[in-house]
Amino acid sequence: MGMAARAGRAIARASGPVTSLLLACACAGLHPPSTAPTPCWPRFPYQSGWLGADGAFSVPLSPTRSVWLFGDTFVGSPEQTDRVGASFVHNSIGVSTCDGERFDVRYVWGRAQDGAPRAFLERGDERWWWLFGGFVHGGRLYLGLLELEKSEPHGPLSLGFRSVGTALARIDDPRAEPESWRPEILPLTRSAEAMPLSALVIDGAHLFLFAFVDRGDGRSPRILLRLPLARLEDGGDLGAALETFGEDGTWLPGFAPSRARILMDDDATEMSVRYHAEIRKWIALYNYPDARGFPKTSPSDAIYARSADRLEGPWSPRRLVFRVPELASDRQPPADRNTGCYAAKEQPGFSLPGSLTFTYVCNLFAGTGEDPWGILQRLQHRMDLYRPIAAAISVPAPADGPEAR
């Protein structure tokens, strides 16, 4: 769901609302299984006008309830059977429940005074939020917010937007229905250099924030920052309390990405990082489509894991743990040649002992010189596209040896 990870976006060089629509992604993936592996298996049906959304971060609110954070979302009428004429908003959420017998999800987005669909969290001023993970601390829910604005096309994918900062949204009573939430925005950073939202992890007395570095060439290696949990209670601007894990292995005061140690030198803008007691290791899970040369060069179908004893690392070489079936060369029928897949991350409330449940997103995107309007037309009518896909693997053993390619 992140900036560079949205390599699957159909890129338009026009301006206005239709341009934003063309930046939407499409999951060219499997239908939710007719027989779920477990009663609480995550699946995302089109219902109540929700016609698909990008990415998926989940935050457990209780043993039976989770909030799901989605990016760019299509919203139409409840009876709509395609996306033609649907509205497009930059984020929505879902609240899922499962009592051990059935997984249910209710989708929520905002409404303007005239009833028109709006993002669940609006930024205004021709800027918007993408939702980037979250956590619960002290009974409050915190959501990561990546702030974006329109820009001239740039980078290897000619992306027509850029990130300008990050923040956390604090919700005091996540037990209430989302329509009554009144989030308080706590600023984190005002920078396009690095975005500390790739993964948010509480460990000990700190919130650890993995950040992707936007190098401007399509690359996004990861660094690490931290914030004292006690600082969250005060609210306000959190940026001054950030610390950066430096090149010399010490914590530096402030937000200093140019002096940070690169913990993972491959590419991913969003991932999961979770401690697995079975192997007494932290596991990072992620993928990245590597769209350079697309569509002449096929995007990567690899999902990787790394492990570490400590969040600061050292992190093991990446290990191939899953190949995305939507990109299989022998798939029947063959995948749309404009398909790429990304946004893999573990969903912490849904992994059973010894296993790791995760979601990923598959996407249609226009290559250099291709007409993005044609991509949009396919997206509007292909209702097997554009929603998160769930999968599971055994907890990976710690990686050894050379890095997987």
Side-chain angles (χ1 to χ4, degrees), residues 341-376:
C341 301
Y342 60 98
K345 63 184 75 70
E346 183 177 3
Q347 304 299 350
F350 300 90
S351 291
L352 298 176
S355 71
L356 189 157
T357 296
F358 61 99
T359 59
Y360 58 92
V361 172
C362 293
N363 198 20
L364 293 180
F365 63 100
T368 302
E370 292 190 313
D371 178 17
W373 301 100
I375 299 291
L376 173 61

Side-chain angles (χ1 to χ4, degrees), residues 102-185:
R102 178 179 175 177
F103 177 95
D104 289 300
V105 61
R106 182 173 75 90
Y107 304 113
V108 184
W109 53 88
R111 291 283 183 185
Q113 289 185 348
D114 62 1
R118 303 287 293 271
F120 178 73
L121 286 181
E122 284 281 312
R123 173 63 179 87
D125 300 327
E126 298 188 351
R127 295 182 177 181
W128 64 93
W129 300 119
W130 281 342
L131 307 183
F132 254 73
F135 58 95
V136 173
H137 173 66
R140 292 167 164 167
L141 172 65
Y142 294 83
L143 307 180
L145 306 178
L146 181 64
E147 184 179 358
L148 297 109
E149 66 179 11
K150 294 179 183 178
S151 71
E152 291 298 319
H154 64 97
L157 293 166
S158 298
L159 298 176
F161 53 87
R162 63 180 181 183
S163 59
V164 294
T166 62
L168 296 179
R170 184 171 69 188
I171 292 101
D172 288 339
D173 187 6
R175 298 170 297 177
E177 293 302 321
E179 289 87 347
S180 69
W181 291 354
R182 298 293 180 266
E184 178 185 357
I185 305 302

Side-chain angles (χ1 to χ4, degrees), residues 168-225:
L168 296 179
R170 184 171 69 188
I171 292 101
D172 288 339
D173 187 6
R175 298 170 297 177
E177 293 302 321
E179 289 87 347
S180 69
W181 291 354
R182 298 293 180 266
E184 178 185 357
I185 305 302
L186 311 178
L188 270 175
T189 62
R190 300 299 302 172
S191 170
E193 185 177 1
M195 278 57 72
L197 296 174
S198 293
L200 306 174
V201 183
I202 291 178
D203 187 40
H206 288 86
L207 169 66
F208 289 83
L209 306 97
F210 286 83
F212 64 92
V213 178
D214 185 4
R215 303 197 327 183
D217 60 357
R219 298 296 310 279
S220 51
R222 270 88 71 221
I223 62 176
L224 184 62
L225 297 96

Side-chain angles (χ1 to χ4, degrees), residues 28-31 324-336 382 384:
L30 305 171
H31 291 287
V324 177
E326 287 76 16
L327 297 176
S329 59
D330 59 352
R331 176 184 170 91
Q332 294 297 327
D336 189 305
R382 290 284 302 276
D384 58 331

Side-chain angles (χ1 to χ4, degrees), residues 48-65:
S48 305
W50 189 91
L51 297 174
D54 188 15
F57 291 84
S58 65
V59 184
L61 300 178
S62 77
T64 61
R65 186 170 183 256

